Amino acid sequence: MDVPWELLHEPEEDSGSDTADRYEYQYQVAARHCFDFDGGELQWVLCEWHTDYILSFGDGRYALVSVKHRELNQGLWTINRLCEDGGLKTLCTRWRECRTPYQTRLATNGALDSDAKKLARACARGDLSALRGFARDFHVKLGCEKPDAALQFLLSLRIESELPPRRYIRADNIETYARPMVARSGNRWINSSHVYDAVVDVVRQAARAVDNNRPQAWTISRFNSLDSDVLLEENVQKRMVDAARVAARVELVPRSGSALLQVDDAADTAVESRLSKKLRRGGIGETGIQSARRTRSSWATFEAQYSSPLPHEGDLVDDLKTRVLHEAAMAEAESFTESAPYGRKMLAILHSKLTPDGIGAAPGIPLDRLHLLGLAYQLTDECKVWWSPEFDVDNDGEVGA
């Protein structure tokens, strides 16, 4: 993979690998991009080289990215703080050293104050008038001798200030990046969280590629040494993550069988006996009850994989529960009688209605009709679905009635 000649020189400081244990957040921020290799534009991610990482988009375009995590008790980012603690001054220096690439980025979870927000908007829009003012006022803090130099840097700058905090970034990335990539691949046997952790590990290994505790590697790799170019190229390649490297690692992620093939060997518990009582009262026989237990177990596995781990997020599982409960209500209304069990007729109706297409389930999810029937049994256990007129399900005397 070709690297622009502007980048092929030793960084002024190369302490990233020394302190890699403190940068798990940075690795997870960088890993987001590694799920976009199938989009066609991104070519590679170069970790811990001049900045936290570098993105290559082809056509000679690349972006230097600096990541800054900010705790809630540290307050809002001001422009002064962005220049100093936020690393904009350092990012500007790296931008000049790398022959002014087309873009620089500051990625942070920290919120911006009003002036910093104005700067971010001006950078995103390329607002020359506003950026000239910022360059005039802050060129010294950016390490520039003149406002014009600061202006050129600000025109390249993009500020991303809505990253999740350390506590939620893994969950957010799985939802936003890993699951969509797995869905695009069409591989229903692979767990999205396992894929995500594998990709983060690729980034982690790339960032830690060089052991700076062995200084002889860089000591002999001076520009007047015979092997400097070779060692430099090897170093860059070790720190580079591309589509092939990610695909090779993902290929090692264990595949799992369909949830529908999982066996429920657990003994019948009180929770399961509640399901059994209600089905039996509705006229469902022992074979149907055994099938219900196993199908419900398959739904539990599906639910664990696809429940949103974030609060206040759109939840696929919650949507499916609403849809299945609606179909169960319609089936009950069609089959209900006071004088005879109606569970078998209700089951037949649900069996025809509970299909992914039939209930309008979201596309791209490996959802089987038996998952939906298992959900109906789960709702039965929760006393939201009945297969007979309601009765005291906790009364032992009702068993076998």
Side-chain angles (χ1 to χ4, degrees), residues 185-223:
S185 73
N187 192 334
R188 61 180 295 182
W189 313 118
I190 191 168
N191 186 290
S192 299
S193 62
H194 295 168
V195 169
Y196 176 74
D197 291 337
V199 172
V200 172
D201 188 57
V202 170
V203 174
R204 182 184 299 111
Q205 295 305 318
R208 298 177 176 180
V210 175
D211 183 0
N212 290 328
N213 292 320
R214 295 184 297 166
Q216 64 269 25
W218 285 109
T219 299
I220 64 175
S221 182
R222 300 301 181 189
F223 290 107

Side-chain angles (χ1 to χ4, degrees), residues 246-299:
V246 169
R249 181 63 182 85
V250 170
E251 188 62 29
L252 300 177
V253 175
R255 271 54 175 172
S256 60
S258 169
L260 297 176
L261 299 180
Q262 293 191 359
V263 178
D264 182 12
D265 292 326
D268 191 15
T269 65
V271 172
E272 289 176 325
S273 68
R274 190 160 61 241
L275 170 65
S276 304
K277 291 177 185 180
K278 296 174 75 172
L279 291 175
R280 191 175 294 112
R281 172 62 73 95
I284 308 297
E286 290 303 317
T287 301
I289 291 172
Q290 290 296 327
S291 175
R293 290 172 178 164
R294 185 168 298 197
T295 307
R296 175 172 169 262
S297 176
S298 295
W299 162 256

Side-chain angles (χ1 to χ4, degrees), residues 106-302:
L106 175 66
T108 180
N109 66 301
L112 309 177
D113 76 354
S114 58
D115 288 336
K117 286 180 180 178
K118 291 177 183 177
L119 173 62
R121 286 195 295 267
C123 290
R125 298 170 182 172
D127 187 339
L128 278 172
S129 177
L131 291 178
R132 281 195 182 96
F134 286 116
R136 181 184 63 250
D137 295 338
F138 296 99
H139 69 279
V140 174
K141 290 186 177 295
L142 289 171
C144 299
E145 292 183 1
K146 297 181 180 180
D148 285 348
L151 174 61
Q152 294 306 310
F153 167 70
L154 293 178
L155 284 170
S156 78
L157 179 64
R158 301 294 181 270
I159 300 176
E160 181 182 6
S161 61
E162 296 182 354
L163 292 179
R166 199 180 349 250
R167 180 179 179 183
Y168 292 120
I169 189 168
R170 180 178 181 274
D172 187 88
N173 283 354
I174 290 172
E175 292 295 313
T176 306
Y177 301 99
R179 283 185 179 170
M181 188 198 79
V182 171
R184 291 194 300 270
S185 73
N187 192 334
R188 61 180 295 182
W189 313 118
I190 191 168
N191 186 290
S192 299
S193 62
H194 295 168
V195 169
Y196 176 74
D197 291 337
V199 172
V200 172
D201 188 57
V202 170
V203 174
R204 182 184 299 111
Q205 295 305 318
R208 298 177 176 180
V210 175
D211 183 0
N212 290 328
N213 292 320
R214 295 184 297 166
Q216 64 269 25
W218 285 109
T219 299
I220 64 175
S221 182
R222 300 301 181 189
F223 290 107
N224 59 354
S225 300
L226 294 176
D227 62 349
S228 64
D229 290 342
V230 174
L231 291 177
L232 186 63
E233 179 65 20
E234 288 180 354
N235 190 14
V236 169
Q237 292 301 321
K238 288 177 181 178
R239 297 185 187 223
M240 182 178 291
V241 179
D242 59 13
R245 188 168 177 178
V246 169
R249 181 63 182 85
V250 170
E251 188 62 29
L252 300 177
V253 175
R255 271 54 175 172
S256 60
S258 169
L260 297 176
L261 299 180
Q262 293 191 359
V263 178
D264 182 12
D265 292 326
D268 191 15
T269 65
V271 172
E272 289 176 325
S273 68
R274 190 160 61 241
L275 170 65
S276 304
K277 291 177 185 180
K278 296 174 75 172
L279 291 175
R280 191 175 294 112
R281 172 62 73 95
I284 308 297
E286 290 303 317
T287 301
I289 291 172
Q290 290 296 327
S291 175
R293 290 172 178 164
R294 185 168 298 197
T295 307
R296 175 172 169 262
S297 176
S298 295
W299 162 256
T301 301
F302 180 94

